[in-house]
Amino acid sequence: HRIVLSSLYLGSDESELVTALDRALAANQGLCVDILLDCLRGTRSDSRNQSSATLLAPLVRKYGDERVRVAMYHTPALNGISKRLWPQRYNETFGLQHIKAYVFDDELIVSGANLSREYFTNRQDRYIKIGSRGLALYFEELVRSIANFSFRLGNNGLLAMPVGVPDPSLDPREFVTVANAVMTGFLSRAQAENTISSGDVDEADTLAIPTVQMSQLGITQDEEHMREFFHITDAFARLHGCRNLMASAYFNFSDFHKRNVLRSSSRWDLLVASPRANGFFTASGISRYIPDMYSIIEHEFLKSSGGRPDIAVEEYYRDGVFGAIWIKSCHS
């Protein structure tokens, strides 16, 4: 009764997934499918002139844009002459829609993986499956809220902004105003509907706290949550000791994260991908230097830690068996 897919892009070879959606829509006349992708990445064409948009267009034509709602978010940072000058792929550095969340009925998968063949076959990524009607509803409403200020794929196969919403590439200032109002309203409703009591916390062993970060739109909920998280764990560590585990596909912490980890009284174990596990490791051109860039950032972070034994970075690499590399100092 509910399918919500949010990803950076849908791989242009994913005809099998589109066929599965087609069958689900045909079998259940009451089913609506919500799909949220990034506009820049979702319209980037491959060598066959295929893209996420062209792959989904037949579904929209067949079932109508009321049952198959395909939204493509466009960053307001890419506008004016920059929009015309920057080529595909490189223009994505201005900002992307990067939510990877997949909802089926009352089950949610939060992931780091896109809907692409390489992720389905030979990429190791994180998939957290949660059975929760509340979280399923939250992410459905989140995707629909973002869709309210995103390009929509119409029955004619063309992209158009919703009525009353300015094009972010033509009027970025007004677009940000509209988008901020939509997201502020969503977050206020979500907080009111999902507030839990201390009694609920006492009975639970796990808290799942979704947060949203859209800095270009003035939404910094995740940053505010992390600030509070660092404060709480540091206070707890001073009294009882505390061990924190943080995972990221790439070691690219903001100054805010680095500063708080380095001055914390907690133990920190940070898990990141090894350079060999990075998708750009075998890339050509300038992209092949990206893994080295992350290694340099990692090296500088460890150097600034002064060799603290309670701060460790673990690099994950898999070649048939689990392989983890512990880096305990900047000299390792």
Side-chain angles (χ1 to χ4, degrees), residues 169-229:
S169 65
L170 300 177
D171 192 354
R173 188 186 299 271
E174 183 60 25
F175 170 83
V176 169
T177 299
V178 172
N180 178 274
V182 172
M183 290 307 302
T184 300
F186 161 72
L187 293 173
S188 296
R189 292 193 303 274
Q191 182 173 347
E193 294 168 1
N194 295 285
T195 298
I196 57 176
S197 66
S198 57
D200 294 328
V201 175
D202 292 340
E203 296 177 2
D205 61 2
T206 304
L207 293 178
I209 307 173
T211 57
V212 178
Q213 185 78 9
M214 296 176 165
S215 300
Q216 294 178 347
L217 306 182
I219 301 297
T220 56
Q221 186 190 46
D222 185 70
E223 186 178 334
E224 293 159 11
H225 169 78
M226 287 304 300
R227 184 178 292 108
E228 187 69 16
F229 173 77

Side-chain angles (χ1 to χ4, degrees), residues 222-238 242 244 246 253-266 268 270:
D222 185 70
E223 186 178 334
E224 293 159 11
H225 169 78
M226 287 304 300
R227 184 178 292 108
E228 187 69 16
F229 173 77
F230 282 124
H231 174 74
I232 291 172
T233 55
D234 189 51
F236 190 86
R238 293 177 187 277
C242 185
N244 302 304
M246 187 179 293
F253 286 168
S254 67
D255 290 339
F256 165 76
H257 287 84
K258 287 188 287 189
R259 184 171 60 252
N260 278 278
V261 169
L262 291 173
R263 72 185 184 189
S264 171
S265 301
S266 301
W268 288 90
L270 311 173

